[in-house]
Amino acid sequence: LPSTHRSQRLGTIMWFRQLCTTARRAHENPLGLPRNNERFPPLMPRRGSGPQPKRPIPNVKRVIAVASGKGGVGKSTVAVNLALGLAATSKDALGRRARIGLLDLDLYGPSIPKLMHLEDLGEPELTQQHALLPLINYSIPCMSMGFLLPPQSSGSNADTPVVWRGLMIMKAVQQLLFDVDWRAGMTPDADPMAPGHDSLDVLVIDMPPGTGDVALSLSQLVLVDGAVIVSTPQEVALVDARKGITMFQKVQVPILGLVLNMSHFLAPDTGKKYPIFGPAHHFEALAQRLDVPILGRIPLEMHLSQGSDHGTPEVLRPNDAPGSAHASLLHMARQTWTQLASADMARDRLKRA
């Protein structure tokens, strides 16, 4: 070839190699964490390789997935208030205050930064072992893709989209599951081998809608103690909730119970209940057919929505009125502790058998 053509061809080859190398590195490490050879992520199951053993999340004793199958049913609001409610009611269940964490696995639409008042605080710091350190508010350590997105020209990352294909999403999920240090008192300068860094008692995972890559990755890689399924009364929401339940059953994740969100509108002036999204008999029939408890019926209240927008979860608002969203969410948390204890006993019986 003429020297000019040969030079152009060589340049094209070098550009293609650089592009492939960059893409491959991005797929392997989408969050851009420094490499650490001491932490080996699990391998995704491949066709013909047989099932890979599930494993616990480091420094986490129990894992609860909050799922819905359908978007827009208030799943993230339920997950946030469940985490805070578990912490608030843990003395009754455990005899001590539990350490509860919150992981946002809705990578395309993370809501935890806003709901927990943790927006635009900068990227999480890293430990000496290059693990992500959660951001903490209301004594709940949190991790979300929303903490890792670059800011826009306005200085906020609230409008920064995640435009990734499935492989990038699956690797990012692995990193959020296994490259976060949930232990108490961990800082960038803390000795990771020093004693006294307590693990989480429960990690609440806010799942994305549907039964796609994220749900499959979690259920195949992690020992999940149970799933909480959130729905509204309409049949159109229950259709997708049933699909989510079926998925968890196929991967042998116990269903701890169902939560009926927006069960009715509670009039602030009269206290009268209005089932504006329809009666709950389809929801109740589903719970009866599955033989699982209804953990809570959360009414639709104006201040619950307003508090969520301002990063003030409903559980933190003083209101002990019977039937209120506050009381219903705390009841949901107590019921979840009960179901976790039942799941533990069932697991112990299987081990002895």
Side-chain angles (χ1 to χ4, degrees), residues 164-179:
W164 286 352
R165 293 186 184 274
L167 181 58
M168 294 277 282
I169 290 294
M170 292 170 69
K171 291 300 293 186
V173 167
Q174 289 187 38
Q175 290 184 293
L176 289 172
L177 288 172
F178 297 103
D179 287 340

Side-chain angles (χ1 to χ4, degrees), residues 50-281:
Q52 297 289 331
K54 301 179 183 180
R55 74 184 206 187
I57 296 176
N59 306 306
V60 173
K61 298 176 183 177
R62 296 185 183 93
V63 175
I64 298 176
V66 179
S68 63
K70 191 171 192 67
V73 298
K75 167 186 54 58
S76 296
T77 300
V78 169
V80 164
N81 284 281
L82 176 60
L84 287 158
L86 289 173
T89 60
S90 57
K91 284 189 177 181
D92 297 333
L94 303 180
R96 59 177 175 82
R97 184 170 178 84
R99 291 195 68 243
I100 311 295
L102 184 59
L103 174 60
D104 187 354
L105 280 189
D106 193 345
L107 272 63
Y108 289 122
S111 301
I112 298 306
K114 174 171 279 295
L115 292 171
M116 290 295 288
H117 200 56
L118 290 169
E119 290 182 291
D120 299 321
L121 296 182
E123 292 186 359
E125 295 182 297
L126 301 178
T127 66
Q128 293 181 13
Q129 293 181 321
H130 307 310
L132 289 163
L133 286 172
L135 302 185
I136 301 175
N137 198 15
Y138 308 126
S139 300
I140 302 294
C142 305
M143 182 51 62
S144 170
M145 189 68 194
F147 301 153
L148 302 166
L149 297 175
Q152 299 289 309
S153 58
S154 63
S156 172
N157 67 1
D159 297 330
T160 303
V162 175
V163 189
W164 286 352
R165 293 186 184 274
L167 181 58
M168 294 277 282
I169 290 294
M170 292 170 69
K171 291 300 293 186
V173 167
Q174 289 187 38
Q175 290 184 293
L176 289 172
L177 288 172
F178 297 103
D179 287 340
V180 178
D181 197 327
W182 294 101
R183 290 177 293 175
M186 289 302 296
T187 66
D189 300 323
D191 181 0
M193 305 306 294
H197 299 297
D198 294 335
S199 299
L200 285 182
D201 290 292
V202 179
L203 177 63
V204 176
I205 299 182
D206 181 20
M207 299 292 292
T211 56
D213 290 336
V214 175
L216 192 60
S217 296
L218 174 73
S219 58
Q220 288 182 326
L221 297 176
V222 175
L223 289 169
V224 180
D225 293 86
V228 172
I229 306 299
V230 183
S231 182
T232 53
Q234 306 103 301
E235 179 64 21
V236 69
L238 288 168
V239 166
D240 291 327
R242 286 193 290 267
K243 293 176 183 176
I245 291 169
T246 302
M247 184 210 70
F248 282 121
Q249 290 175 332
K250 285 186 175 181
V251 295
Q252 299 177 336
V253 173
I255 306 298
L256 298 179
L258 310 183
V259 175
L260 182 60
N261 197 27
M262 310 181 208
S263 60
H264 56 273
F265 173 67
L266 193 63
D269 51 350
T270 64
K272 188 176 180 180
K273 298 179 181 179
Y274 296 91
I276 58 177
F277 293 122
H281 56 261

